[in-house]
Amino acid sequence: MSREVAAVAGRLSLRAPQREALEILAAATELIPLTKNQDVAAALERVSAAYPSVQDFERDFPSLCFALATGVGKTRLMGAFIAWLRRVKGIRHFFVLAPNLTIYNKLIADFTPNTPKYVFQGLAEFATHPPELITGDNWESGRALRGDLFGEGDVNINLFNISKINTEVRGGSAPRVKRLNEYIGESYFEYLSKLPDLVLLMDESHRYRAAAGMNAINELKPVLGLEVTATPQIERGARPPVPFKNVIYSYPLTHALRDGFVKEPAVATRENFDAGVYTEEQLELLKLEDGVRIHEAVKAELQTYAIREGKPQVKPFMLVVAKDTTHAAELEARIKGEAFFGGQYAAKVITVHSTLRGDEREENVERLLKVEDPAEPTEIVIHVNMLKEGWDVTNLYTIVPLRTATSRTLVEQSIGRGLRLPYGRRTGVSAVDRLTIVAHDRFQEIIDEANRSDSAIRYVPVYIGNEESLPVGRVAVVVPSPAQAMFLPPPVTDGAPEAPPPVFTSEEDIQVARATLEVIHHPAFAHYPSTRSLLDDEPRSRLVQAVREHLAGIQAELPLRSTEDLDAPVSKAVEIYSLINIDIPRILVVPKGEVRTGFRDFELDVSKINFQPVDNDILIQHLSESTRETLSGVTSRMDEPRLENFVVRSLVGRPDVSYDSHSELLYKLAGQVVARLRSYLPDDDAVKNVLQFYERQIGELVHAQLAEHAWEDAVGYEARISKGFEQLPPQASTADQAEKVRDVRFAVQAPSRIRGMRFGHFRKSIYREARFDSDAERRMAVLLDDAPEVVKWARLAGPPPRIFWGHGQSQSYEPDFVAETTDRKLLIEVKAANEMEDPEVQAKARAAVEWCGHASVFAAGYGEKPWTYLLVPHDEITASATLQGLVAKWGRGE
């Protein structure tokens, strides 16, 4: 990658396919003179020789198409194109075409500074002098000339809606841009056509390639055309589509799915479903109801994830595809009816289609545009063929298609609007990363279509009504943190409170206590070893003053209290908090001095390599896609002089693998892969076939074993205590919708369902509720709650503590429990007996023991309790077990 491409890609945080596309643009512009009246045929000959997929520019000027899957970031790529062309080629004038009003308005926002998705965010040169944005609504003011006359060097971006131009040219009329403009002295079209460096960018270009307005635009004779689309073909109704002939880079949906840039599509049905026993109306209602159940499950999972990870809240919505406008109205009436889940979605549903008029259309479109806002109530959107390209939302999670269509059309039109990820990447939580299509009656047809060799998508099948499938009828459960619980009324069990009643009764004291809990977690108090240590004279004096300053900024309506008046309530808040909280230090183990990393020599385990050659047509298709994906002046990646190279090249692009440092080991391992394949395949052609088709899978298998033999060398390591105590967060999880809080001491009759259960009625837990992954964890909770030496405990469900392990301490580990006894603090992990010697379990245990050792040294310096790590097998947690006995047998370190 060239230095300038790397600079733009780094500043704009481009994804890998966006970087590759920008690199290809850089290489292609070396073959195309960016000048007016160039020899287009000669330019095409040079480009085609380097990029065989470009057979024709399909215009009177050089034009190249970059085909990127929906959700990968085409608008961001256009911004990168503009930035690079300005920086390297000196291009100042750009003409951007949008296919319709929706995308036109979106692009205006994306090219406007200080908006959420501003495409030039991060570029210093555009921070002080952002591009001048000239649109189809303001061009007549003559603002396009400002940069030319008064701000030489500024970029001009002209943004127009092709559908509006199409309307203007009907009947042979000239578009308004071709009419004389008094401010410019000529038509705007003439002004643009005379520019020596005009570059045309076409968003979603498949939508208007043959449009009448394009004939007018072509007369601008730009020096270069750049098209971006996810669908590089012209649709022709029932006839086969016509592929573009100028595609220079393709990153299809298959690659976006593989690389995790979009949601994983799933198709749902009921187990053993027979559509023939339902009437059309009954089937429609069933799909709607199951769609809502899935929607509610996703909503709970998203809420849980956001709280656990400290991420912004995402409100999902469900899209219902109606047959026509009459059908849409019937669906809306049904969903608003009392019979549909008690009418609870009456205010949460809108209908959007082209025939809506007046206030209803305005209100519904306004709600649609705000559907990503968690405060906006819409959770169900009914549409009739209106939501197409440009409607970029990240919170569509469930689609219920009720419109008759072929399975392929149904799928392609439906999922495109829901593939974008709300957090920009997959999270590893299936419900957060998945888009579900409810298709009971079309389930097998869609699966069969997806399994075709030329299908772009493979679906995850989801069967409703199966414990291992997508959970339905679940809700998010949020348990307040110890700090939050201080201000809540206590829960009641059998008429008796489980916790002392709130000690802060006046509004003033509550404000002081809340301010105290905020201030003690400020970095200024991070070096104190425990919350109780803040009651000593010096820290207490500092704390009271800090609370007073904090209150001065937030309680304008209350008189500012003196430090003497604040001393008692601040001390009281700290004392109570220290009683209901477990102080956990923040410890980081970091290397000292220069750090070297590498891999130890080892023999590759090739026993799992049993790949078989694929059909030649499939292989060619696979290679063709791969070639387009990696083009950067190289015409093909199909062949290598050595079979081992296929393996090596799949490894050297990884951030922890240096070719210069590891080439000898890499070729040794690659040779072992080739030897394994030769041991059961008939000839080297078959070996090459497997290496080409399964390159990624083989690379991942070898890299996983490399990671197991990684080493890190430093002068030494040191533990840094960046905080004496961390703030324990609220806990979030999902539970079955009808689930009530259970007494933790009662035996569970269905242990396989325990993850969906809620447990409480604790005596010593600092959280009011807990959830468990196994019944052994529940029994451990009972043991901790009943052990006389335990002062308090918690089931952990999010950091702290932060325990890092693995190569370069790149992974984090969170034990199941933390407990404080009369003489020590415990980190506790419950494991199945047959997993105790698992290498990963033992690696985490070593990291936890080391963490406890550092925490104990820190605690000893302040007279605090030492730490012990307890890794206990599940079958040791019995009714007769004691905590002291488990610690004596299974405890490690102090």
Side-chain angles (χ1 to χ4, degrees):
M1 184 179 296
S2 70
R3 184 175 64 181
E4 292 297 337
V5 168
V8 172
R11 293 283 183 151
L12 293 179
S13 301
L14 297 185
R15 293 168 164 175
Q18 295 167 321
R19 292 196 302 270
E20 291 170 7
L22 184 58
E23 184 74 15
I24 287 176
L25 172 65
T29 53
E30 296 301 312
L31 306 173
I32 302 173
L34 299 183
T35 58
K36 289 276 192 179
N37 303 316
Q38 62 173 289
D39 188 337
V40 176
L44 175 62
E45 186 176 350
R46 290 191 296 270
V47 173
S48 296
Y51 302 94
S53 59
V54 180
Q55 303 166 25
D56 192 337
F57 288 144
E58 300 194 87
R59 304 191 187 283
D60 297 334
F61 53 88
S63 187
L64 303 171
C65 177
F66 294 79
L68 269 75
T70 296
V72 175
K74 293 186 289 295
T75 307
R76 191 74 165 175
L77 179 61
M78 286 198 295
F81 284 167
I82 292 172
W84 185 87
L85 287 166
R86 176 68 185 103
R87 174 180 288 201
V88 178
K89 298 295 183 180
I91 303 295
R92 291 185 47 234
H93 297 94
F94 299 89
F95 193 95
V96 180
L97 272 181
N100 55 39
L101 183 61
T102 302
I103 297 180
Y104 171 72
N105 289 331
K106 181 185 84 71
L107 287 175
I108 289 177
D110 291 345
F111 281 104
T112 300
N114 303 316
T115 52
K117 297 180 181 179
Y118 182 49
V119 296
F120 299 120
Q121 187 68 41
L123 290 176
E125 59 264 44
F126 288 164
T128 53
H129 295 287
E132 182 75 30
L133 185 60
I134 303 102
T135 71
D137 302 302
N138 65 23
W139 64 269
E140 291 177 297
S141 67
R143 63 187 301 163
L145 275 67
R146 295 177 189 172
D148 295 330
L149 297 176
F150 307 110
E152 186 174 351
D154 289 349
V155 168
N156 279 0
I157 298 176
N158 300 271
L159 178 55
F160 281 75
N161 174 9
I162 187 67
S163 65
K164 186 175 182 181
I165 296 176
N166 286 338
T167 302
E168 293 172 353
V169 299
R170 285 176 184 169
S173 301
R176 287 175 59 205
V177 291
K178 280 195 170 186
R179 301 169 194 170
L180 178 66
N181 182 276
E182 59 182 288
Y183 292 103
I184 302 175
E186 57 186 341
S187 75
Y188 191 65
F189 185 90
E190 288 176 306
Y191 157 73
L192 291 172
S193 65
K194 292 177 181 178
L195 292 172
D197 63 342
L198 185 67
V199 170
L200 176 63
L201 293 99
M202 294 159 271
D203 192 15
E204 303 291 0
S205 60
H206 66 282
R207 295 284 303 278
Y208 50 84
R209 266 208 165 195
M214 277 307 301
N215 294 327
I217 299 301
N218 288 337
E219 294 176 24
L220 289 173
K221 294 293 192 294
V223 298
L224 180 66
L226 300 173
E227 305 180 43
V228 290
T229 179
T231 314
Q233 59 189 32
I234 300 174
E235 298 293 339
R236 303 190 301 171
R239 292 182 295 168
V242 179
F244 288 6
K245 297 179 181 179
N246 64 340
V247 176
I248 194 170
Y249 176 79
S250 177
Y251 186 80
L253 183 56
T254 48
H255 293 178
L257 290 166
R258 178 198 66 195
D259 296 338
F261 290 135
V262 293
K263 294 191 187 100
E264 184 175 39
V267 57
T269 189
R270 291 200 167 194
E271 290 181 310
N272 304 313
F273 186 76
D274 181 4
V277 302
Y278 295 91
T279 65
E280 182 177 352
E281 184 176 354
Q282 290 172 333
L283 180 60
E284 182 176 280
L285 178 60
L286 182 67
K287 291 167 70 173
L288 283 174
E289 290 178 342
D290 282 348
V292 167
R293 293 186 180 100
I294 293 171
H295 162 73
E296 288 296 336
V298 170
K299 187 163 67 173
E301 294 286 357
L302 282 166
Q303 182 181 356
T304 300
Y305 176 80
I307 293 171
R308 279 182 179 171
E309 302 297 326
K311 301 287 187 181
Q313 185 66 55
V314 173
K315 176 207 69 176
F317 75 96
M318 180 174 87
L319 182 67
V320 180
V321 185
K323 301 172 185 175
D324 50 40
T325 56
T326 302
H327 186 219
E330 293 170 353
L331 291 172
E332 182 175 359
R334 170 176 281 178
I335 291 171
K336 287 182 175 180
E338 187 68 23
F340 192 81
F341 294 99
Q344 70 182 74
Y345 296 95
K348 300 178 181 180
V349 58
I350 60 171
T351 296
V352 182
H353 54 75
S354 57
T355 61
L356 286 178
R357 294 291 182 268
D359 292 343
E360 182 183 16
R361 177 183 174 87
E362 187 173 326
E363 178 187 351
N364 285 2
V365 170
E366 181 70 16
R367 287 178 65 177
L368 181 65
L369 294 175
K370 294 180 178 179
V371 75
E372 288 182 294
D373 184 353
E376 205 283 321
T378 302
E379 294 186 30
I380 301 176
V381 174
I382 304 170
H383 89 94
V384 182
N385 199 29
M386 185 176 176
L387 306 179
K388 296 182 178 179
E389 296 92 347
W391 189 59
D392 295 335
V393 292
T394 61
N395 59 332
L396 173 55
Y397 272 88
T398 309
I399 298 175
V400 182
L402 302 177
R403 178 185 174 198
T404 303
T406 67
S407 56
R408 174 171 287 195
T409 303
L410 176 78
V411 168
E412 291 177 353
Q413 290 184 350
S414 296
I415 71 167
R417 309 281 59 82
L419 286 174
R420 289 172 175 81
L421 290 161
Y423 297 110
R425 60 176 179 82
R426 288 189 185 167
T427 64
V429 179
S430 61
V432 178
D433 298 336
R434 181 164 57 202
L435 169 69
T436 304
I437 301 174
V438 182
H440 296 354
D441 52 331
R442 313 294 290 279
F443 179 82
Q444 192 59 51
E445 184 181 347
I446 292 175
I447 292 294
D448 291 344
E449 179 67 33
N451 287 331
R452 287 166 50 112
S453 62
D454 61 342
S455 175
I457 300 173
R458 298 291 184 269
Y459 288 88
V460 176
V462 172
Y463 297 93
I464 300 171
N466 183 326
E467 274 195 15
E468 286 72 41
S469 68
L470 180 73
V472 295
R474 293 172 74 85
V475 295
V477 177
V478 181
V479 182
S481 69
Q484 294 170 331
M486 286 175 60
F487 308 100
L488 299 174
V492 175
T493 304
D494 299 329
E498 285 187 344
V503 292
F504 304 105
T505 53
S506 73
E507 183 60 34
E508 288 189 17
D509 282 351
I510 289 175
Q511 271 200 331
V512 172
R514 290 188 186 279
T516 301
L517 296 187
E518 286 189 41
V519 169
I520 64 175
H521 292 289
H522 188 274
F525 296 92
H527 64 284
Y528 291 104
S530 66
T531 49
R532 180 163 287 278
S533 69
L534 297 176
L535 294 173
D536 295 340
D537 291 343
E538 184 271 334
R540 189 178 78 247
S541 176
R542 290 186 61 206
L543 180 61
V544 170
Q545 182 60 36
V547 171
R548 186 173 189 269
E549 293 172 359
H550 182 79
L551 289 171
I554 63 172
Q555 58 170 37
E557 74 282 359
L558 295 175
L560 187 61
R561 299 168 70 172
S562 68
T563 53
E564 291 78 12
D565 290 338
L566 287 173
D567 187 81
V570 168
S571 298
K572 188 176 185 180
V574 173
E575 184 173 3
I576 293 172
Y577 185 55
S578 69
L579 291 174
I580 64 171
N581 186 64
I582 298 177
D583 292 330
I584 302 174
R586 181 183 294 180
I587 302 174
L588 296 177
V589 179
V590 296
K592 294 189 293 186
E594 183 182 356
V595 180
R596 296 184 303 115
T597 61
F599 302 98
R600 293 183 297 274
D601 189 18
F602 69 99
E603 301 301 315
L604 192 70
D605 178 4
V606 295
S607 60
K608 295 181 180 179
I609 297 180
N610 295 294
F611 300 110
Q612 297 296 323
V614 298
D615 180 85
N616 196 49
D617 290 339
I618 298 175
L619 176 62
I620 291 171
Q621 178 188 357
H622 172 82
L623 292 173
S624 176
E625 292 173 353
S626 297
T627 301
R628 291 180 192 142
E629 181 186 349
T630 58
L631 274 175
S632 55
V634 180
T635 58
S636 175
R637 60 176 288 179
M638 290 186 183
D639 211 352
E640 291 285 355
R642 294 177 59 184
L643 292 173
E644 289 81 0
N645 288 2
F646 291 105
V647 181
V648 172
R649 76 183 185 191
S650 70
L651 296 170
V652 294
R654 301 171 189 265
D656 58 337
V657 180
S658 165
Y659 178 82
D660 293 337
S661 302
H662 307 130
S663 59
E664 185 175 347
L665 175 61
L666 296 180
Y667 271 101
K668 171 191 168 180
L669 301 177
Q672 292 174 357
V673 171
V674 172
R676 167 63 177 176
L677 294 173
R678 282 173 169 162
S679 71
Y680 67 85
L681 293 175
D683 51 44
D684 277 3
D685 286 340
V687 172
K688 180 188 290 188
N689 178 293
V690 168
L691 290 171
Q692 288 175 312
F693 193 80
Y694 295 104
E695 180 178 321
R696 179 176 60 86
Q697 293 92 327
I698 292 172
E700 289 175 352
L701 185 150
V702 177
H703 184 259
Q705 295 187 45
L706 270 172
E708 294 175 357
H709 295 83
W711 58 265
E712 180 178 277
D713 182 28
V715 174
Y717 294 86
E718 60 182 354
R720 294 179 183 172
I721 314 293
S722 60
K723 262 192 170 186
F725 50 89
E726 295 212 62
Q727 186 171 11
L728 292 172
Q731 295 186 348
S733 61
T734 58
D736 295 340
Q737 195 164 30
E739 179 72 13
K740 304 298 182 184
V741 178
R742 301 165 179 252
D743 191 320
V744 71
R745 288 167 179 78
F746 292 166
V748 173
Q749 300 302 315
S752 64
R753 289 187 52 247
I754 199 166
R755 293 189 178 192
M757 298 177 183
R758 302 168 62 182
F759 294 91
H761 299 244
F762 305 121
R763 301 190 183 103
K764 300 177 183 178
S765 170
I766 63 176
Y767 287 97
R768 297 182 173 190
E769 284 188 36
R771 66 170 292 279
F772 305 113
D773 292 331
S774 67
D775 194 52
E777 289 183 6
R778 180 194 65 82
R779 297 197 305 272
M780 174 58 78
V782 174
L783 189 152
L784 292 172
D785 218 43
D786 292 345
E789 69 271 28
V790 171
V791 179
K792 49 196 170 185
W793 65 274
R795 169 67 166 90
L796 296 172
R802 294 172 171 84
I803 300 175
F804 296 97
W805 68 286
H807 182 46
Q809 293 202 329
S810 58
Q811 301 176 73
S812 61
Y813 162 52
E814 174 191 306
D816 295 326
F817 296 91
V818 61
E820 182 173 344
T821 72
T822 52
D823 64 350
R824 73 179 70 225
K825 292 179 181 177
L826 297 166
L827 292 180
I828 304 170
E829 179 75 27
V830 176
K831 273 295 171 192
N834 62 355
E835 296 179 359
M836 289 289 287
E837 299 304 319
D838 180 85
E840 183 173 313
V841 172
Q842 290 299 316
K844 291 178 179 178
R846 288 191 294 272
V849 170
E850 183 177 3
W851 187 97
C852 288
H854 294 304
S856 295
V857 171
F858 176 73
Y862 296 94
E864 300 290 333
K865 298 172 183 176
W867 286 81
T868 299
Y869 179 67
L870 178 60
L871 175 61
V872 57
H874 78 285
D875 53 6
E876 293 273 337
I877 309 170
T878 63
S880 61
T882 65
L883 183 61
Q884 287 182 343
L886 292 177
V887 171
K889 185 175 181 180
W890 299 101
R892 304 189 195 182
E894 191 170 295

